[in-house]
């Protein structure tokens, strides 16, 4: 079973996260930030990951620590659940339309942390969520999952649609990359023999 549990406690956040890569898309997400709950719930649904997240954070300050630390935990969980990455497809990409928004994401589960992020989000906030935290989320995820991730906005003017389209595209991309390649179930997908 490709399942990981992560506990992370700091002076700013207390997080429990459980991830099942081979789930059905069920989720229980309570972060103290409604917009982040929405993004993680749809990430689980569209990636077919079972995801449980419980976070107590210093949201009286803002959502920065909560968003960043949950992304750290999610990245750690993917890395732990994948183990030596034996049998995975490794690469994934998805171009997702969300009304007027069109978002492309592509990932290489490479063991190398790199993020190329090209979103132009018009508004500084969606509800009470600072939209600059989307970049913080993906930077933290990439650093801890050890993946190369490209996020590119091809179209879009509505901030909510752009961000939601990004998380849905990211979900489909990760789903494809972590899928088991039935023709190479016992192989590490690298000429190096290790990722």
């Amino acid at each position: 079973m490709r399942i990981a549990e992560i506990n992370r406690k700091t002076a700013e956040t207390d997080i429990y996260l459980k991830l099942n890569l081979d789930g059905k898309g069920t989720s229980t997400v309570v972060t103290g930030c409604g917009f982040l709950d929405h993004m993680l719930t749809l990430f689980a649904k569209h990636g077919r990951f079972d995801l449980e997240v419980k976070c107590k954070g210093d949201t009286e300050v803002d959502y920065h620590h909560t968003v960043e630390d949950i992304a750290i935990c999610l990245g750690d969980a993917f890395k732990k659940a994948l183990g030596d990455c034996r049998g995975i497809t490794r690469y994934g990409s998805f171009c997702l339309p969300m009304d007027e928004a069109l978002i492309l994401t592509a990932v290489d589960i490479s063991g190398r942390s790199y993020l190329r992020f090209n979103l132009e989000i018009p508004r500084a906030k969606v509800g009470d969520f600072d939209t600059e935290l989307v970049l913080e989320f993906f930077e933290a995820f990439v650093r801890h999952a050890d993946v190369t991730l490209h996020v590119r906005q091809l179209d879009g003017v509505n901030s909510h649609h752009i961000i939601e389209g990004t998380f849905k595209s990211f979900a489909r991309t990760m789903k494809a990359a972590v899928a088991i390649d039935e023709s190479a179930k016992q192989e590490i997908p690298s000429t190096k023999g290790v990722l």
Side-chain angles (χ1 to χ4, degrees), residues 129-149:
F129 180 84
D130 294 317
T131 58
E132 68 183 10
L133 295 179
V134 178
L135 173 59
E136 297 294 330
F137 180 91
F138 286 106
E139 284 182 334
F141 175 83
V142 162
R143 276 197 315 271
H144 285 261
D146 283 338
V147 301
T148 294
L149 178 65

Side-chain angles (χ1 to χ4, degrees), residues 27-31 36-38 40-41 44 51-54 70:
S27 62
T28 304
V29 181
V30 182
T31 69
L36 182 60
D37 290 354
H38 180 41
L40 293 175
T41 299
L51 180 64
E52 184 179 352
V53 183
K54 294 177 184 173
I70 287 171

Side-chain angles (χ1 to χ4, degrees), residues 95-165:
C95 189
L96 187 131
M98 173 87 189
D99 296 342
E100 90 298 341
L102 185 61
I103 308 295
L104 171 68
T105 59
V107 75
D108 175 10
I109 300 175
S110 59
R112 298 184 303 277
S113 302
Y114 181 80
L115 175 65
R116 184 72 167 160
F117 185 88
N118 285 302
L119 293 186
E120 294 181 11
I121 304 170
R123 289 169 43 204
K125 285 185 177 285
V126 173
D128 61 353
F129 180 84
D130 294 317
T131 58
E132 68 183 10
L133 295 179
V134 178
L135 173 59
E136 297 294 330
F137 180 91
F138 286 106
E139 284 182 334
F141 175 83
V142 162
R143 276 197 315 271
H144 285 261
D146 283 338
V147 301
T148 294
L149 178 65
H150 288 253
V151 179
R152 184 172 297 274
Q153 178 183 336
L154 304 178
D155 207 347
V157 295
N158 180 288
S159 297
H160 190 129
H161 293 166
I162 291 164
I163 298 169
E164 183 168 337

Side-chain angles (χ1 to χ4, degrees), residues 6-16 54-58 60 64-70 72-73 76 144:
I6 304 293
N7 289 282
R8 176 183 168 88
K9 187 169 186 177
T10 72
E12 298 161 343
T13 59
D14 185 356
I15 298 168
Y16 170 78
K54 294 177 184 173
C55 176
K56 293 181 181 176
D58 58 353
E60 71 282 359
H64 186 282
H65 300 136
T66 291
V67 170
E68 183 176 31
D69 288 5
I70 287 171
I72 286 170
C73 292
D76 287 342
H144 285 261

